[in-house]
Amino acid sequence: MSETAASTVERHSFEAEVSKLLHLMVHSVYSDREIFLRELISNASDACDRLRYEAITNPELIAGDPEFRIRVTLDEKARTITVSDNGIGMDHDDLIAHLGTIARSGTAAFAEALSGDKSADLSLIGQFGVGFYASFMVAEEVRVTSRRAGSETAHVWESSGDGTYEIRPANRAGRGTDVLLRIKKDAREFLDRDRLEAIVRKYSNHIAVPITLAIAGKSEEKTLNEATALWARPKSEITQEQYTEFYRHVAHALDEPALVLHNRAEGRIAYTALLFVPGTRPLDLFDPARKPRVKLHVRRVFISEDSETLLPGYLRFLRGVVDSEDLPLNISREMLQSSPVIARMGKAITNKLLAELAKLADREPERYAAIWDNFGAVLKEGLYEDADRREQLLKLARFRSTHGEGWTSLADYVARMKEGQEAIYYLSGDDPEMVRRSPQLEGYRARGLEVLLLADPVDAFWLTAVTGFEGKPFRSVTRGAADLAAFAPAEKKEQPDDRPREGDVTKLVVALRDILGDKVSDVRPTERLTETPACLVADEKGLDMQLERMLRLHQRLDKALPRVLEINPDHALIRAMITRAGAPGAAAALEEPAHLLLDMARVLEGDPLPDPAAFGQRLAKALTAALAN
Ligand code: ADP
Ligand code: MG
C-alpha cells in the first residue's frame, strides 16, 4: 500500500441503518460467528461470476488473467485473515454504494426488523444473512482493497465499525478485491490454521471457483474445494449438508431449506435446476416488486438474478439456480425478457415444482403444511394469475376451517360435505381469530356444515376468479340468504313453542325497513344465527363483504354498499322487538333499538361505525333506562 497524503483520505458516515446493524455486529455474542467466512467467500464467488459474465462481451477485462480464483490468507502473528479474489472489483463509488449503505432488500428488511432488544435481534441474524457486515462480528478493523476490472486505480475502504469509514487511493496489482480482517482478541479461535481450514472447506465445497488457503510467510498453498458447480454434479454425490450450504450461499440465508428440487432435463429443452423452498419466510416476501430470485446460468456461467420472465410471481419465494444448455452465452439481459427458450424452461420448471409439492403433500403432509404456513398466501396468488394451473393449485391449497384447528385440503372438505350440500362455504375477513368467532358461522356450526375460514388479503381476489372445485361452487356465507333451511340443526335446540308467528315477524321487518331506510338494502329474518340477535350480510347479487372491503381499501370503490340486516327471531331481544312492533306507537318505540341493533351488527363485522357519537348516546340512554327500571 502506498503512503497517501492526508488530503486524499475521505471520511464518510455509514447510513443510519448500517450503523444500527454494525453496532449489533460489533457487540455480537452470536454463537455462529464463523459465518463471516461464508459471507466473504460468497461475495468473492459472486464477484468472479459477475466478471465472467461481463467478459463474454468484453474479453479485454480478463486478458492476461483468465483463471478465476479465491485465496484465504492467514497471518497469525499480525492477527489477520484476508479473503482475496480476482473478480470484478469495486471502484471508488462502488465502495461507497455497496459497503456504506444497505443495497440489498433482504438486508434492508433485516435492519428494519431490528428491535433494539439484543437477544431478539441476534436470533434474526440466524434467520437472515447479513452479508459483508458480518465481518464485524470477529474483526476490530476491516480493510477492503479493491480494483475494478478494466481500471488502473485501486482504493482502500477501511472501518472499525464505529459509524464511519475511510476511503483513500491505493495500489493493487491486478483487478479484484482483498478483504482484510484484523481479528478481535475474543475471536482468536479463527486464527487457528486447522480451524480456519475446516471452516473454509465447509463454506466452499459448493463454490465453483477454486479456493486456496495460504499461510503468511510460507509459499505452499492448499486447494480446499473441487471448484465445480454443485448443480452440475450427479445427485448421488451430493450430501444434504452440501445442498444446505449451497442454499445458504445462493439465498443469502442461514436457515435450512424446507425442500430441495434438483432436476436435470435433457431433450427438447436441456437444463438443470437446483431450487430450494426456504425454511423460513423471507422478510421481503410481500415486497410489491414480487421478483423471483433464481440465478440464471448458461452452461455454468452466471447470467442474471432477475428471473422475472423465468418463473411466475407466485413462486417468488424460491431460491436457487437454473442452468440452461440451450441459450447463447452472450444473451443480453434484455433478450432474456422475450426469449422463448426461457419461457419454455420456466413452464417446465413450474410444472416440475408443483408436481413435487403435490408429492410432498401426499407423502409428508406435515412437512408440506410447514411450507404452506410460510408460502401459502403467495402460492394462492397463482389461483387467479395462472388459469392453466388453477386445478393443480387448488389441489395444493390448504385452508383453515370450522372442522378443526389444522389445515384442510379441498378434497377433504368435499369428502366431509353433508348430504344435499351443494356448495363449498367460506367466510373471509382480515383477522383469522375474528373470522373464527364470527356470528355468521352460528347457523352453519349448529347444522354441522363446515365453513372455510379465509384471512389472507389475497383470498378475496382469487375467489372472484375461481368458479369451484370438483364441480362444487364456492359460496360466501356473508352473501345472500343463507340456504340453511334445508338442513336440520344437528342438535335440535329446544324450539320454543311460542315461536313468533310469521306475520308478527313481518311486522317488525317492515318497521325496521322504515326506520333504517337506505342505511340497509333490506331487512329479513334468518336461520343463520343462533346466539346473536342480528348480523349484516351482502346482497345475493352484491359483492362478497370482504372483497368489498378490499376494493374500498384500494380506492376502487368509494362508498360502502348498504348491506342486508338479518335478524334472529329466536333471540330474546328480537322477540321483545316483535312484541313492540305489534303494539300501538311501534315506530317511536323501535326507533332507538333499531339503530342500536344495526350498529351492533356493524361492530360484530369489524366495520367502523359511521356515527360513533350517536351510538354512544343511544347506548347510554338505553342503559340508563334499563338501570332505572
Ligand atoms: P450481497 O452479497 O447480498 O449483495 P453483501 O453485504 O455481502 O450483500 O455485499 C454487498 C455488496 O458489496 C455486494 O452486492 C457487492 O456489490 C459488493 N461486494 C462485496 N464483496 C465484494 C467483492 N469481493 N468483490 C466485488 N464486490 C463485492
Ligand atoms: Mg454477500
Side-chain angles (χ1 to χ4, degrees), residues 195-274:
R195 174 84 200 275
L196 187 65
E197 181 175 326
I199 300 172
V200 176
R201 270 186 201 284
K202 175 169 166 195
Y203 293 128
S204 58
N205 221 317
H206 57 270
I207 300 276
V209 180
I211 300 176
T212 57
L213 179 64
I215 306 297
K218 297 197 179 149
S219 58
E220 27 105 44
E221 251 185 83
K222 198 168 177 183
T223 303
L224 300 183
N225 64 337
E226 269 182 59
T228 56
L230 185 83
W231 63 91
R233 297 183 214 166
K235 270 187 187 181
S236 56
E237 288 173 18
I238 306 173
T239 64
Q240 208 51 50
E241 224 172 14
Q242 287 173 325
Y243 276 133
T244 299
E245 274 314 322
F246 182 70
Y247 157 71
R248 291 174 175 172
H249 164 62
V250 285
H252 302 287
L254 279 173
D255 58 350
E256 297 276 335
L259 181 72
V260 179
L261 174 76
H262 191 180
N263 162 239
R264 189 159 301 151
E266 276 149 2
R268 211 164 58 87
I269 37 171
Y271 66 85
T272 303
L274 175 51

Side-chain angles (χ1 to χ4, degrees), residues 39 42-43 46 104 131-132 252:
E39 298 297 338
S42 180
N43 285 349
D46 288 348
R104 213 171 78 217
F132 168 78
H252 302 287

